[in-house]
C-alpha cells in the first residue's frame, strides 16, 4: 500500500464479497427478478442457481461503468456509475427480499451459505426507499470523483500551479525538507474538505440500508462477514494486535530517534508522537520511503530497489529517445517519454508475473496486457489508487495503476497480481462463491509473494547487488520489510475503528476529525504537526473512506500473509530461519497455494485456512518468528531511551477497551 490494495468498493465493489474488483450494473439488462416476481414454485436451490446465472450473464456490462468512472473521471462517467449502482443495488434488494421466502426451509448447505453471503455482501447496504437509494449512489460517485480529481493548487493566474496525489507523494518520498513535506501533506489533506457534509449524509443512508437488512448499523454488516458472530471480530483483532504491538512499539521508538536526529527540535510532536508528514507516506501507513533515514547499516548490502528501477527506466528512455530522434521535437519527446513509461510498467508487471508462473500458475491472458491501465494517462484525470479488476468472471482481468519506477510500486504490482490470480483460480466457482475466503485472504495473497522476495531473489533479478552474509545485512533486510509490514499494522486497525464509531453514532459529525486523530495517536503514535480542526475532513484524504472500502481486511491480511508464507515455505521443503525462505520456482508450494485459491469463499474461512496451514485460527506468531532478529536488535538500540508516547483520550467505538500503544493517555 501505498498499501496499495485499492479495491474500488464504491457501491458494489465488494457488494458480493468480490474483494479487489469493481462491479456495477447495466441499467437495461433484463433479469427474471427485475419485475419483482420470482418464478412460481421456485426452490431455494433453484433461486440461488438463477441468481448465479443472472450475475454471470450481466458481468461484462456490470463492470464497465465503474471502470470508466475510475479511468475517465468526468461528470458523465460519474452519472453513469451512480445510475448503474442504483439499479444494481435495487436488484440486490429484490434478491434479498426474494430470499426471505426460504427462511426455515430445507436446502443444501451450499445454498444456505450462498443466501447468507447474498445478504452480507453489500459494503454499501442499500436503502429500500428508491429516492434514498438514488441519493446514496449519487453521493458515492461524487465522493470518489472528488478524490480522483483532487489537486492542490497554489499561485494565481499564469503562476498558478496544481499538483495531484502522485506529485505530492513524490515530495514525501524524496524530499527531506521539513517545510516542503508539510506543504505537500497539508495540500493533499485539504482536498477532502468538500466531502465532509456528503459523508455525513452518506453515513445516514448506509445505516438506513443496514437497518432495512435487520442490522443495527453498517459497521455491524461489515463485521458479520467473517463466519463468526459480529461481536467477536473486534476482540479477535485486538488479540492479534496485542501479539504484535510490542514489535511496533520498538520500531516506533527507533524511528522517532532517527527523525529527532534529522530534524532537531521538530522530529516529534508533543507526547512523543511522530509528525504525520515526516514518515514518507501520505497516511503514515508505510515507512519504506524513509530507508535513507532508517537504514541500520548503509554499507552492509545494497537494497536500493528504487535506485535500480529508476536507472533501468532512464537507460531505456535514453535509448528510445536516441532511436526516435526525439530530443529535438518537444511534442514527440513527450510522447516517447510516455510510451517509455508504459513499456517500463509492463516490464515490471512481467517480472511479477514470472514469480507466479514459476509456481506453476498460468500466464496472464493477452487481454490483461491490452486493457490494463499501467500509467497515468496524459490527457485526463483517473483514480491512481492501485486496484485489480475481474471484469467478467471468465478471464478478463486487469489492473489499474499509475506506475512509477520505485520499490513501492514494484511490490504493489506483485500484490495486485495476487488479486488477479485469485480471480483466475476461483472463476470456475458459481458467482456467489467468487470471493476470498474472507476479505483478508484476498489482500494477503500477493503480499505472501512479497515476503518471498528475499534479497537473494532480488539479486537474481538484477535489482540489488551481491548480498553480504552478515548480521548487519540481515538487520538491513529485516528493517526493509518491517517498514512496510510492521509499520502498517496499527493503521490497518484504526480506520475501521473510526468508521465503526461513525456508523454506530459514538463518533458524531462534530467530532469526525478529532476522533480520527485521537485514534491515529492511540494506535499509530502519530499526530499532525499543525492544528487540524473540524473544518477539515482528514479521513477523506484516504481513498478507502470516500471509496467505502472496509479496511479491517488489510490488518487481517498482514497477519495471514505470514501464516501463508510459513505454510508455503514448509511445503517447499525449506529448512532454516523463516526469513531466509523464498519459494520462487517451487511447484509443490505453488500447487498448495493454487488449491486454496480455487476454493474462493465456498466454505468457511477457518476450513480453508486449516487446509493450507494446519490450523483454524489466525495467529501472529509467524510475524514474530520472522522478525525475531530485528526485534532483538531494536530492543538493544532502544535500551536506555524513553520509548512510548502519550495520546489523547481514546474515542469509544464498538470494540473492547483498548489501551494506548505504549503509555497511558494524557488526560483532557
Amino acid at each position: 500500500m501505498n498499501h496499495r490494495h485499492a479495491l474500488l468498493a464504491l457501491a458494489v465493489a465488494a457488494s458480493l464479497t468480490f474483494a479487489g474488483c469493481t462491479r456495477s450494473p447495466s441499467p437495461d439488462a433484463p433479469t427474471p427478478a427485475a419485475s419483482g416476481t420470482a418464478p412460481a414454485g421456485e426452490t431455494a436451490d433453484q433461486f440461488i442457481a438463477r441468481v448465479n446465472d443472472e450475475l454471470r450473464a450481466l458481468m461484462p456490462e456490470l463492470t464497465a461503468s465503474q471502470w470508466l468512472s475510475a479511468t475517465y473521471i468526468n461528470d458523465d462517467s460519474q452519472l453513469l456509475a451512480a445510475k448503474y449502482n442504483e439499479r444494481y443495488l435495487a436488484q440486490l434488494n429484490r434478491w434479498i427480499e426474494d430470499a426471505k421466502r426460504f427462511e426455515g426451509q430445507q436446502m443444501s448447505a451450499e445454498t444456505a451459505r450462498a443466501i447468507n453471503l447474498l445478504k452480507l455482501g453489500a459494503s454499501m447496504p442499500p436503502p429500500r426507499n428508491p429516492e434514498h437509494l438514488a441519493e446514496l449512489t449519487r453521493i458515492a460517485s461524487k465522493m470518489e470523483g472528488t478524490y480522483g480529481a483532487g489537486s492542490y493548487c497554489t499561485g494565481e493566474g499564469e503562476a498558478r500551479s496544481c499538483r495531484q496525489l502522485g506529485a505530492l507523494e513524490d515530495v514525501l518520498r524524496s524530499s527531506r525538507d521539513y517545510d516542503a513535506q508539510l506543504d505537500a501533506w497539508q495540500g493533499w489533506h485539504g482536498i477532502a474538505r468538500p466531502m465532509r457534509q456528503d459523508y455525513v449524509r452518506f453515513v445516514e443512508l448506509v445505516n438506513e440500508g443496514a437497518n432495512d437488512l435487520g442490522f443495527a448499523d453498517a459497521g455491524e454488516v461489515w463485521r458479520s462477514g467473517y463466519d463468526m458472530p459480529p461481536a467477536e471480530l473486534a476482540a479477535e483483532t485486538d488479540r492479534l494486535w496485542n501479539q504484535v504491538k510490542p514489535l511496533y512499539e520498538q520500531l516506533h521508538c527507533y524511528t522517532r530517534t532517527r527523525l529527532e536526529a534529522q530534524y532537531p527540535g521538530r522530529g516529534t510532536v508533543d507526547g512523543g508522537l511522530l509528525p504525520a508528514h515526516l514518515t514518507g507516506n501520505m497516511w503514515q501507513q508505510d515507512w519504506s520511503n524513509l530507508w535513507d533515514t532508517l537504514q541500520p547499516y548503509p554499507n552492509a548490502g545494497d537494497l536500493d530497489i528504487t535506485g535500480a528501477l529508476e536507472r533501468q527506466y532512464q537507460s531505456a528512455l535514453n535509448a528510445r529517445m536516441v532511436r526516435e530522434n526525439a530530443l529535438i521535437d518537444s511534442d514527440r519527446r513527450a510522447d516517447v517519454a510516455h510510451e517509455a513509461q508504459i513499456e517500463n510498467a509492463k516490464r515490471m508487471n512481467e517480472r511479477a508475473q514470472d514469480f507466479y508462473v514459476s509456481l506453476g500458475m498460468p500466464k496472464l491472458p493477452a487481454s490483461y496486457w491490452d486493457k490494463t491501465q499501467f500509467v497515468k494517462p496524459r490527457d485526463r484525470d483517473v483514480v491512481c489508487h492501485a486496484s485489480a479488476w475481474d471484469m467478467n468472471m471468465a478471464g478478463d482481468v486487469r489492473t489499474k495503476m499509475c506506475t512509477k519506477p520505485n520499490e513501492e510500486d514494484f511490490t504493489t504490482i506483485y500484490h495486485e497480481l495476487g488479486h488477479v490470480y485469485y480471480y483466475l483460480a476461483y472463476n470456475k466457482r458459481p458467482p456467489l462463491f467468487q470471493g476470498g475466503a474472507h476479505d483478508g485472504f484476498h489482500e494477503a495473497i500477493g503480499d505472501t509473494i512479497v515476503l518471498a522476495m528475499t534479497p537473494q531473489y532480488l539479486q537474481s533479478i538484477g535489482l540489488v547487488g551481491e548480498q553480504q552474509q552478515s548480521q548487519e545485512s540481515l538487520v538491513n533486510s529485516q528493517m526493509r520489510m518491517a517498514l512496510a509490514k510492521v509499520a502498517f499494522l496499527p493503521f490497518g486497525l484504526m480506520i475501521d475503528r473510526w468508521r465503526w464509531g461513525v456508523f454506530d453514532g459514538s463518533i458524531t459529525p462534530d467530532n469526525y476529525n478529532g476522533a480520527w486523530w485521537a485514534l491515529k495517536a492511540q494506535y499509530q503514535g502519530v499526530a499532525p504537526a499543525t492544528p487540524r480542526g473540524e473544518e477539515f475532513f482528514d479521513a477523506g484524504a484516504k481513498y478507502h473512506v470516500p471509496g467505502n472500502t472496509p479496511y479491517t481486511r488489510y490488518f487481517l491480511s498482514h497477519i495471514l500473509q505470514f501464516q501463508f508464507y510459513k505454510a508455503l515455505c514448509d511445503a517447499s521443503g525449506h529448512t532454516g530461519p523463516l526469513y531466509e525462505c523464498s519459494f520462487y520456482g517451487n511447484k509443490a508450494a505453488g500447487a498448495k497455494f493454487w488449491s486454496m485459491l480455487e476454493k474462493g469463499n465456498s466454505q468457511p474461512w477457518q476450513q480453508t485456512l486449516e487446509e493450507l496451514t494446519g490450523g483454524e485460527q489466525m495467529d501472529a506468531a509467524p510475524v514474530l518468528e520472522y522478525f525475531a532478529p530485528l526485534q532483538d536488535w531494536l530492543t538493544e538500540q532502544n535500551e536506555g531511551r524513553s520509548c512510548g508516547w502519550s495520546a489523547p483520550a481514546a474515542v469509544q467505538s464498538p470494540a473492547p477497551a483498548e489501551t494506548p500503544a505504549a503509555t497511558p493517555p494524557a488526560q483532557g
Side-chain angles (χ1 to χ4, degrees), residues 66-87:
Q66 288 298 309
W67 178 262
L68 288 174
S69 72
T71 58
Y72 290 82
I73 298 176
N74 55 47
D75 291 343
D76 294 331
S77 63
Q78 286 185 39
L79 174 63
L80 289 174
K83 298 308 294 183
Y84 276 55
N85 282 329
E86 175 189 343
R87 296 179 189 189

Side-chain angles (χ1 to χ4, degrees), residues 80-385:
L80 289 174
K83 298 308 294 183
Y84 276 55
N85 282 329
E86 175 189 343
R87 296 179 189 189
Y88 171 78
L89 290 173
Q91 178 63 63
L92 179 61
N93 268 336
R94 286 190 287 269
W95 281 327
I96 292 171
E97 196 64 27
D98 265 358
K100 292 179 180 178
R101 294 175 292 146
F102 307 110
E103 292 177 359
Q105 293 186 16
Q106 287 291 111
M107 66 187 75
S108 68
E110 183 178 273
T111 292
R113 180 170 180 80
I115 288 177
N116 189 53
L117 290 172
L118 186 65
K119 181 179 179 181
L120 295 177
S123 66
M124 193 171 80
R128 289 183 189 147
N129 182 311
E131 292 181 0
H132 289 179
L133 177 58
E135 183 183 5
L136 174 62
T137 56
R138 185 169 61 251
I139 290 173
S141 291
K142 178 183 176 184
M143 288 194 301
E144 176 151 1
T146 299
Y147 184 95
S151 292
Y152 170 46
C153 299
T154 56
E156 300 291 340
E158 293 183 359
R160 184 173 174 81
S161 173
C162 295
R163 290 176 289 173
Q164 290 194 302
L165 177 58
L168 297 170
E169 285 184 302
D170 285 344
V171 176
L172 301 188
R173 176 182 297 113
S174 304
S175 174
R176 293 298 171 256
D177 181 290
Y178 183 97
D179 294 325
Q181 292 177 85
L182 180 59
D183 177 66
W185 185 90
Q186 290 175 332
W188 177 252
H189 281 70
I191 66 99
R193 293 176 67 168
M195 300 179 196
R196 186 183 177 95
Q197 285 308 117
D198 283 336
Y199 194 76
V200 172
R201 181 57 176 159
F202 177 86
V203 169
E204 294 172 351
L205 292 168
V206 293
N207 276 343
E208 179 183 328
N211 295 159
D212 289 344
L213 291 173
F215 294 93
D217 56 70
E220 187 179 50
V221 176
W222 290 6
R223 295 190 298 276
S224 297
Y226 290 91
D227 292 308
M228 63 173 68
E232 293 182 9
L233 181 63
E236 178 70 356
T237 53
D238 274 341
R239 178 183 67 80
L240 296 168
W241 168 236
N242 284 324
Q243 284 184 273
V244 297
K245 185 165 65 172
L247 174 59
Y248 178 80
E249 291 173 354
Q250 292 295 323
L251 181 63
H252 181 283
C253 189
Y254 170 79
T255 301
R256 185 175 67 197
T257 300
R258 289 293 184 100
L259 288 177
E260 287 174 334
Q262 182 157 356
Y263 305 96
R266 298 194 292 180
T268 61
V269 180
D270 290 346
L273 302 162
L274 303 182
H277 67 289
L278 294 183
T279 64
N281 178 269
M282 195 64 74
W283 310 279
Q284 309 83 56
Q285 67 185 59
D286 185 321
W287 303 349
S288 299
N289 292 326
L290 293 186
W291 181 246
D292 59 319
T293 299
L294 301 180
Q295 183 179 5
Y297 300 105
N299 298 316
D302 171 24
L303 290 174
D304 183 12
I305 298 171
T306 294
L309 290 168
E310 288 177 341
R311 288 190 294 273
Q312 289 178 5
Y313 165 68
Q314 196 61 50
S315 175
L317 174 60
N318 291 341
R320 181 184 282 261
M321 286 286 188
V322 171
R323 189 169 60 249
E324 297 278 344
N325 194 25
L327 296 174
I328 300 173
D329 186 330
S330 59
D331 289 339
R332 181 58 186 149
R333 182 178 182 180
D335 290 340
V336 170
H338 187 69
E339 291 164 6
Q341 291 169 4
I342 294 173
E343 289 305 312
N344 187 67
K346 285 185 176 181
R347 283 193 295 271
M348 292 166 69
N349 275 260
E350 287 166 353
R351 174 54 65 191
Q353 175 190 239
D354 173 70
F355 200 118
Y356 290 88
V357 172
S358 82
L359 301 177
M361 299 182 189
K363 285 190 173 183
L364 297 169
S367 60
Y368 176 85
W369 305 100
D370 294 335
K371 298 178 180 179
T372 281
Q373 176 192 292
F374 290 104
V375 301
K376 186 182 187 303
R378 295 174 58 203
D379 61 345
R380 63 185 187 272
D381 289 332
V382 299
V383 177
C384 277
H385 196 103

Side-chain angles (χ1 to χ4, degrees), residues 488-503:
F488 177 81
L489 288 164
F491 181 79
L493 202 58
M494 62 79 46
I495 286 190
D496 277 355
R497 294 299 166 102
W498 181 80
R499 283 191 291 194
W500 293 350
V502 168
F503 289 141

Side-chain angles (χ1 to χ4, degrees), residues 602-649:
S602 62
Q603 60 190 23
W605 65 262
Q606 294 90 340
Q607 182 179 343
T608 301
L609 182 64
E610 183 179 30
E611 290 172 2
L612 180 67
T613 69
E616 291 188 350
Q617 189 177 53
M618 292 181 284
D619 183 19
V623 179
L624 301 179
E625 178 184 352
Y626 181 95
F627 286 113
L630 179 66
Q631 187 163 12
D632 290 342
W633 183 85
L634 286 170
T635 301
E636 291 178 6
Q637 296 297 308
N638 295 330
E639 186 175 1
R641 294 188 175 125
S642 177
C643 294
W645 60 86
S646 298

Side-chain angles (χ1 to χ4, degrees), residues 355 359 447-454 560-584 586-593 612-613 622 625-626:
F355 200 118
L359 301 177
D447 281 354
T448 301
I449 303 297
V450 171
L451 288 173
M453 294 166 64
T454 60
L560 285 168
Q561 63 192 247
F562 285 87
Q563 289 184 266
F564 295 171
Y565 173 66
K566 182 176 176 63
L568 295 177
C569 288
D570 290 344
S572 73
H574 173 75
T575 58
L578 181 59
Y579 53 79
E580 290 183 351
C581 169
S582 179
F583 45 79
Y584 174 76
N586 191 281
K587 299 297 193 293
K592 191 164 188 177
F593 211 17
L612 180 67
T613 69
E625 178 184 352
Y626 181 95

Side-chain angles (χ1 to χ4, degrees), residues 395-410:
D396 182 358
V397 291
R398 58 186 83 165
T399 57
K400 176 187 60 59
M401 286 185 64
C402 298
T403 312
K404 295 184 178 181
N406 59 58
E407 177 180 359
E408 189 174 0
D409 283 4
F410 186 61

